[in-house]
Amino acid sequence: MATWRVFTRTVYTAIAVIILIASPDVSFAAEQPSCGAPPPHIVVVGSVNVDLTVKVARPPALEETVTATDPRVSVAVGGKGANQAVAAARLVAGSRPVRFVGQFGGDSHASMLEQELVANGVDVSLSGRHPDLPSGTGLVMLSPGGEASSVVVGGANSAWPENDDELVSTMVRAARGAAVMLLQREVPDRVNLAAAAAAKAAGVPIVVDAGGVDAPIPAALLEAADYLCPNESELARLTRMPTSTDDEAVAAGLELVAQGAKRVLVTLGARGAMVIGATGVIARHDALPVPGGEVGKVGEVVDGTAAGDAFRAALAVAVAEGVDVVKDSRGLALAAAAGAHAVSVPGAVPSLPTRDEAENLIPEHRHLPAPALAATKACEETDAALRDDECPLRFGSRLNSMKERPDLWSGRERLDVLGMVRRLGEVEGIDLVDFNYPQHLDGRKPKAVTGALRAAGLAAGAVAVRFPASRFRAGAFTNPDPSVRAAAVDVVAGACAWARSLDASAGVIVWPQFDGYDYHLQVNYSDAWRRGVGAIRAALDRDECEGVKVSYEFKPTDPSSRFALVPSTAAALALVRDVNRPGRFGLTLDAGHLVAAGENPAQSAAMVADAGALFGFHLGDVHSKLAAEDGLAFGSVHAPGALELVFWLRASGYRGHAYFDTFPEAEDPTREAAYNVRAFKRMWSWAARLERDGIRDVLLNHDAMTSLEMQEGLIA
Ligand SMILES: *[C@@H]1O[C@H](CO)[C@@H](O)[C@H](O)[C@H]1NC(C)=O
Ligand SMILES: *[C@@H]1O[C@H](CO)[C@@H](O)[C@H](O)[C@H]1NC(C)=O
């Protein structure tokens, strides 16, 4: 009873912390109590300007002053990023959040810009404010014929955090859980590159508007874009090729594809738009009639400002709503309609259509389902997933456990590595095997291993690095001897090569068991940290590790180094931040290690998942004060703690594998592994029941007694 109470208190402190960290999402969720999670948002990263427009008879010549012909100064929101965010927000009509990540200045226009975006339903909470620079400013002089002469002042648009880590962390937060990311080229390339990397790592589709600075597109941005969207003149500029006929535009589009773009969506004004892929034109759409003409007639183009912004934002909305833009013409229809509406109204923001205004321009059969409906559907699906009892995770169990109690195995074969794989294959509910490297794999042929896996009905989970003590006793990544550090990098690269040839779904897990110390005044901590970060980066940059996820499994203490250099979840998150390879380098947490570190596994799982870095979880249970790491059956000692952990893995959308890192030294290891799987699945369905019964409200209210009573009801 006492343990239970202490445990619960820890948990509620933990949850309070998590709620503070995650407050933007939580507050949104709170407005929609019927839905477990908000529908995935649209994120626009880019510029925001204040456009100051005056009317003149003609722009002044050098050293000349002219008087405006109109006493008013028009003050309006501009900048491709802000325009596209507003366009997207009008088109989604409240069905999903739209987030704008930009930089406001420290001037008086900043609040006007911010208010205008917020009034249009755009969330600007991830945007920055530069204390010294003004907001980006467009100074426009409009001549009577509508010709504009302008000066653009970059202002805060050019002043993003100089610290790469800060920039990356903002982008990771912006991209997490997004349905699509929309970029343009009015902010520095490094901003777009950080945003695109974060989106890619989170599996978020990217639309890149090629408009903005007149400079070559960085290769990484070109390759990251799912849709690269130039208009005719931008396409010509980027390729230095003619684009005035459709054939020329196709040839130029193919040139961008040859340079690495996946798909090029070129807009050709009144000639419509086409999508060019590796095989040529893969989709096209005519321009839709401009509205505003007399009945039965077509209106005229009044002002092209922001038409491209409307088109691209609508494209992103279609992608967010799950439309395959190449195969389903309704996506390009929405974009064409948004563009047609925008050219019929003067100005930027005033010309951006609502969903209804755009839909009205589209022939009936090409309408997308109403966005509210789509959102409700997404909401219902998320809700259903959270209520679903069925656990979608795949399970693995410690291979070396299969060595134990050979007397109980009917296999009667030698329990070498492949024999252990066969024995594990007999366990009900186990799908995956994690191998230790080099121990389990060195000297074997990948074919022999994959053959044994197939015969046992299993697949490879992860390749787990175990540095041999002989070489790495004084540290692997942090060893003072650069040649030993290089050897550690080689070991990781070897593990990556195996992970690739076994197609290991969880990649490589590194437990750096020797990176620590035993005595005070033994180690220079700053230096060891710096070396460790450098060595991990060097490993990630090895060809063998390209495309392989690598995760770090911290353990606070071990006989091989009494005090680890990464002794806690917080330190491990700092390592992820410093290594700074989002999506490539993350953490595998281990429940036993977390308890040994005095932490609550559920809280750690939530925090690491929030950082987008939860690659894996090793499950088991421990009597915290007994052996160094007991490795007991899952949920056998800390039952409510295990339930809470499963709840948070489930709530955070964790889709890594569930791996039982246990040491059944006296039991039948196959019965123990099967028990673990059942225990986990049972907790999963209990977590689903807690969701159905409204545990989220209880958590929001820190309501201990209601929570305990709900848990009581599970066992009854
Ligand atoms: C293409 O877009 C840019 C703005 O990004 C604009 O200045 C230019 O006029 C557009 N070109 C055409 C042919 O519409
Ligand atoms: C630790 O190592 C760094 C070099 O990485 C050095 O600059 C610093 O002075 C050292 N600190 C101590 C206390 O030895």
Side-chain angles (χ1 to χ4, degrees):
M1 203 55 199
T3 326
W4 184 285
R5 211 173 294 132
V6 169
F7 165 78
T8 313
R9 198 179 310 133
T10 321
V11 167
Y12 277 84
T13 317
I15 288 166
V17 170
I18 290 157
I19 287 169
L20 287 177
I21 292 169
S23 53
D25 291 341
V26 169
S27 63
F28 185 85
E31 288 158 22
Q32 307 212 345
S34 68
C35 187
H41 61 279
I42 293 173
V43 56
V44 183
V45 178
S47 58
V48 52
N49 287 340
V50 56
D51 283 341
L52 305 173
T53 307
V54 294
K55 289 189 177 161
V56 290
R58 58 171 179 78
L62 209 58
E63 298 197 342
E64 188 193 10
T65 303
V66 299
T67 304
T69 54
D70 187 307
R72 283 164 298 190
V73 178
S74 137
V75 181
V77 174
K80 288 181 190 292
N83 288 346
Q84 293 179 15
V86 171
R90 290 198 182 155
L91 290 166
V92 300
S95 61
R96 66 179 70 236
V98 173
R99 294 204 170 141
F100 173 66
V101 186
Q103 292 291 316
F104 295 95
D107 55 346
S108 57
H109 289 132
S111 346
M112 181 282 288
L113 294 170
E114 210 172 312
Q115 276 165 27
E116 184 79 9
L117 286 171
V118 170
N120 275 285
V122 176
D123 174 352
V124 296
S125 58
L126 285 175
S127 290
R129 215 178 231 261
H130 196 281
D132 307 321
L133 287 172
S135 298
T137 306
L139 303 167
V140 185
M141 277 166 281
L142 210 54
S143 303
E147 304 88 357
S149 307
S150 346
V151 178
V152 176
V153 186
N157 290 320
S158 52
W160 291 68
E162 267 165 36
N163 179 333
D164 279 337
D165 296 335
E166 195 183 327
L167 190 62
V168 166
S169 122
T170 303
M171 295 310 172
V172 167
R173 287 179 65 196
R176 192 181 315 135
V180 66
M181 178 181 273
L182 186 49
L183 304 172
Q184 323 76 29
R185 304 200 58 221
E186 289 185 339
V187 295
D189 280 336
R190 59 183 279 271
V191 174
N192 279 334
L193 289 172
K200 240 185 142 182
V204 174
I206 304 171
V207 175
V208 177
D209 176 352
V213 63
D214 180 10
I217 296 194
L221 188 59
L222 190 84
E223 286 161 18
D226 292 275
Y227 290 93
L228 177 64
C229 308
N231 66 16
E232 214 176 318
S233 40
E234 287 153 357
L235 180 61
R237 224 169 61 190
L238 284 171
T239 56
R240 299 169 196 276
M241 288 168 74
T243 56
S244 40
T245 69
D246 286 6
D247 287 346
E248 286 172 351
V250 173
L254 281 170
E255 168 60 23
L256 289 182
V257 171
Q259 288 173 23
K262 257 186 230 109
R263 296 176 205 92
V264 176
L265 199 182
V266 54
T267 42
L268 302 163
R271 291 183 0 247
M274 49 192 185
V275 184
I276 298 153
T279 54
V281 178
I282 50 178
R284 76 182 308 151
H285 200 282
D286 292 337
L288 286 170
V290 175
E294 291 159 33
V295 180
K297 290 215 182 117
V298 169
E300 59 181 305
V301 174
V302 176
D303 174 8
T305 310
D309 295 331
F311 184 99
R312 281 140 197 166
L315 176 81
V317 167
V319 171
E321 291 180 5
V323 178
D324 179 337
V325 173
V326 172
K327 295 202 183 111
D328 182 343
S329 66
R330 295 178 303 174
L332 287 177
L334 184 66
H341 184 279
V343 299
S344 73
V345 179
V349 165
S351 75
L352 303 170
T354 62
R355 184 61 169 254
D356 284 344
E357 284 168 336
E359 296 279 357
N360 282 339
L361 304 181
I362 305 175
E364 200 67 47
H365 64 284
R366 297 249 201 95
H367 284 188
L368 287 170
L373 221 68
T376 316
K377 197 161 150 270
C379 194
E380 277 164 3
E381 276 165 14
T382 316
D383 235 14
L386 283 170
R387 284 153 194 271
D388 193 355
D389 285 15
E390 202 70 42
C391 176
L393 302 188
R394 293 198 294 166
F395 294 92
S397 193
R398 186 170 150 267
L399 192 56
N400 280 342
S401 301
M402 296 300 134
K403 251 191 252 166
E404 310 292 350
R405 298 300 306 270
D407 54 307
L408 297 174
W409 192 41
S410 57
R412 280 184 304 269
E413 289 151 274
R414 254 168 30 94
L415 280 170
D416 62 358
V417 170
L418 300 186
M420 292 193 285
V421 169
R422 279 193 290 279
R423 193 178 189 193
L424 193 57
E426 292 178 3
V427 179
E428 182 81 25
I430 293 292
D431 321 284
L432 299 167
V433 184
D434 283 19
F435 291 99
N436 288 351
Y437 177 84
Q439 292 82 347
H440 289 153
L441 295 172
D442 218 19
R444 287 182 195 280
K445 296 236 163 11
K447 270 214 175 110
V449 180
T450 44
L453 285 170
R454 212 172 311 118
L458 298 167
V463 175
V465 169
R466 292 286 176 274
F467 290 109
S470 50
R471 182 101 203 248
F472 299 101
R473 196 65 196 75
F477 294 140
T478 64
N479 196 292
D481 179 346
S483 72
V484 179
R485 294 203 297 278
V489 169
D490 286 341
V491 173
V492 178
C496 285
W498 269 102
R500 277 177 157 190
S501 47
L502 298 180
D503 200 13
S505 47
V508 167
I509 302 174
V510 185
W511 168 40
Q513 106 193 71
F514 302 111
D515 284 321
Y517 55 94
D518 290 328
Y519 291 97
H520 291 297
L521 287 171
Q522 183 184 348
V523 164
N524 175 332
Y525 305 115
S526 338
D527 190 53
W529 185 270
R530 195 180 49 77
R531 283 185 203 143
V533 168
I536 292 170
R537 283 184 169 174
L540 292 167
D541 292 343
R542 286 284 292 262
D543 288 348
E544 295 93 326
C545 292
E546 197 190 328
V548 178
K549 285 189 158 208
V550 176
S551 59
Y552 191 99
E553 181 183 357
F554 90 85
K555 182 181 181 188
T557 177
D558 190 80
S560 44
S561 45
R562 265 74 152 199
F563 214 111
L565 280 163
V566 178
S568 62
T569 302
L573 283 171
L575 183 69
V576 169
R577 178 200 64 199
D578 288 358
V579 169
N580 191 12
R581 294 285 189 277
R584 296 274 328 281
F585 178 69
L587 302 177
T588 286
L589 295 177
D590 178 295
H593 301 177
L594 293 165
V595 173
E599 301 189 320
N600 170 14
Q603 179 183 1
S604 295
M607 288 180 64
V608 174
D610 274 350
L614 188 59
F615 287 12
F617 214 104
H618 284 182
L619 301 155
D621 215 336
V622 290
H623 292 290
S624 44
K625 286 192 181 155
L626 299 185
E629 189 194 356
D630 318 352
L632 300 178
F634 182 63
S636 58
V637 183
H638 295 87
L643 171 61
E644 196 201 18
L645 171 59
V646 173
F647 172 85
W648 278 98
L649 288 176
R650 206 172 167 280
S652 66
Y654 176 73
R655 286 293 177 270
H657 65 302
Y659 173 86
F660 299 105
D661 192 3
T662 55
F663 294 74
E665 276 156 18
E667 291 74 35
D668 178 339
T670 60
R671 274 176 70 186
E672 192 256 5
Y675 170 88
N676 285 329
V677 174
R678 291 196 306 277
F680 189 94
K681 288 185 169 169
R682 180 166 60 243
M683 304 232 182
W684 190 277
S685 72
W686 279 353
R689 217 158 108 195
L690 292 175
E691 289 281 4
R692 288 195 292 271
D693 294 349
I695 188 78
R696 285 179 188 240
D697 291 338
V698 175
L699 301 183
L700 286 175
N701 294 317
H702 302 197
D703 182 352
M705 279 322 300
T706 306
S707 174
L708 289 176
E709 284 154 13
M710 284 170 74
Q711 295 173 53
E712 202 174 24
L714 295 172
I715 305 162

